[in-house]
Structures are given as structure tokens and as C-alpha cells.
Amino acid sequence: MVAGVLLAVYYLLLLKPWKNARRRHDAPQPVLPGSGEAMAEEQEFPEDMAEPNENELGVAEELAGRLREIIGQTGQGNFVRAELLVDLQEEIALYPFLNNDMYRAAFNELVRDEVQKKCAVVLSERELDGLWE
């Protein structure tokens, strides 16, 4: 159940730029499996994990965009690993309410993938977890 939510959040963050590009051409929008009202009805969340609401998802998309922007700018210049990690950590610190297992896993995956694509570097789990401290 939680894995399904994590995947939905991750794919939402991953597909957001693609959705915006397609929207500009008035093309039909992709529908993620298990998304929408059916997902909310089917999904049961553990007591320590609240069900995500639209406001949180909107803010999560905003943070995902900012993280992509920071990584993209770093990938264009001289890459300094420590500076990138500090910049990402400072940006994530502006969104403390997203520091829970569901969002943390999705953002760690997003950062790992983007840094690998744009900076040709693989971040360790320890480095990714350090972004949230």
C-alpha cells in the first residue's frame, strides 16, 4: 500500500515536466494507474502516515521543480559535490512538512536520478538521507 503511494508520488514528480509540455499542445493527459479518487478510496494509510492532500502534492511538485532547477544549474557548470548537497539540503529545509517517509523516498529517488543524468555522478544513500537533516 505504502509502496503504491510512493510510486504514485515519484511518478507524479517525474512526469510533471512531461505533462506540462504536452499540455501546451492541448494533447490528452496521461493517467497514472491507481490515481485519482479510486486511489484515495482504495488506499489505506498507516496511522503514522497521513493521506496526502492536493495542497501537499502541489507543494511537492513545486519542490521537485526547484530541485531539478538546482541540479540542472549545477550540471551546466563546474560540478562541486559538496556545494550541490548543501544547496539541495537548504532547499529541502524550506519544506519541513514534506519530511516524512512517503515524500522522502520519492524525493531521494528524484534527486538520485537527476544528479546521475545531469551531473554524471551517483549519490550514496547516506548523502541522500543527509539532505533531510
Side-chain angles (χ1 to χ4, degrees), residues 5-6 9-10 13 49 60 63 67 89 92 95-112 125-133:
V5 173
L6 291 174
V9 171
Y10 173 70
L13 298 174
M49 186 183 297
L63 175 58
L67 296 177
Q89 186 179 31
I92 289 172
Y95 301 86
F97 52 92
L98 294 178
N99 188 358
N100 61 53
D101 291 341
M102 180 176 63
Y103 289 112
R104 192 173 182 155
F107 282 114
N108 283 357
E109 189 71 25
L110 172 75
V111 168
R112 179 189 357 262
E125 287 298 318
R126 186 178 204 167
E127 289 171 314
L128 292 167
D129 287 340
L131 297 175
W132 298 89
E133 296 174 358

Side-chain angles (χ1 to χ4, degrees), residues 69-95:
E69 186 178 311
I70 291 168
I71 295 166
Q73 290 170 352
T74 301
Q76 294 173 357
N78 292 333
F79 175 74
V80 178
R81 187 183 205 114
E83 288 179 14
L84 173 62
L85 293 173
V86 168
D87 290 345
L88 293 172
Q89 186 179 31
E90 288 174 352
E91 189 65 33
I92 289 172
L94 298 174
Y95 301 86

Side-chain angles (χ1 to χ4, degrees), residues 9-33:
V9 171
Y10 173 70
Y11 284 117
L12 177 68
L13 298 174
L14 183 67
L15 295 175
K16 181 66 176 169
W18 180 75
K19 285 174 53 179
N20 287 340
R22 299 233 6 201
R23 188 172 291 145
R24 283 184 238 133
H25 296 98
D26 295 321
Q29 297 300 311
V31 177
L32 298 174

